[in-house]
């Protein structure tokens, strides 16, 4: 059995007679506002800093390569260099 139409109802007939009607009163547009709490702002800042920390390498290879090049030089281990290094280490510990 084949059903062609159900009681001769065409679903487009319901929409074809409709037309827009202008509103008798003006519609006013309100202003939308949002507020972000300080806690949310701090969380956003923490997320940004965490993302930057994840992208930053733990080791600065450029500094490591510079030190390696200095260590290859036999004149690098002079008394002045050793004294300057010792002074920097002591000052880092506040001594």
């Amino acid at each position: 059995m084949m059903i062609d139409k159900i009681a001769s109802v065409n679903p487009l007939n319901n929409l074809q007679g409709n037309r827009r009607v202008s509103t008798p009163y003006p519609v006013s547009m309100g202003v939308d506002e949002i507020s972000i709490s300080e806690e949310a702002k701090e969380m956003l800042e923490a997320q940004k800093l965490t993302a930057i920390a994840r992208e930053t390498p733990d080791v600065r290879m450029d500094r490591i390569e510079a030190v390696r090049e200095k260590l290859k030089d036999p004149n690098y281990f002079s008394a002045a260099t050793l004294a300057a290094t010792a002074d920097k280490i002591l000052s880092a510990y506040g001594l």
Side-chain angles (χ1 to χ4, degrees):
M1 171 176 13
M2 186 168 135
I3 300 175
D4 191 21
K5 291 183 181 179
I6 301 174
S8 298
V9 175
N10 185 353
L12 293 178
N13 286 341
N14 295 335
L15 298 175
Q16 289 174 348
N18 293 345
R19 58 190 157 102
R20 292 184 174 245
V21 178
S22 62
T23 57
Y25 52 89
V27 176
S28 63
M29 299 298 288
V31 177
D32 293 335
E33 293 182 14
I34 63 167
S35 62
I36 301 173
S37 68
E38 289 301 317
E39 182 181 1
K41 290 177 185 177
E42 290 173 2
M43 290 175 64
L44 177 63
E45 184 68 21
Q47 287 178 346
K48 286 180 183 179
L49 293 175
T50 302
I52 291 171
R54 283 188 184 133
E55 293 171 0
T56 305
D58 291 336
V59 178
R60 293 180 52 190
M61 291 306 293
D62 57 334
R63 298 287 306 261
I64 291 174
E65 289 301 322
V67 170
R68 282 183 181 161
E69 289 300 316
K70 288 180 181 179
L71 291 176
K72 287 180 184 177
D73 183 14
N75 297 326
Y76 183 71
F77 289 109
S78 66
T81 306
L82 293 175
T85 304
D87 288 340
K88 286 183 182 180
I89 291 171
L90 291 174
S91 65
Y93 288 107
L95 302 174

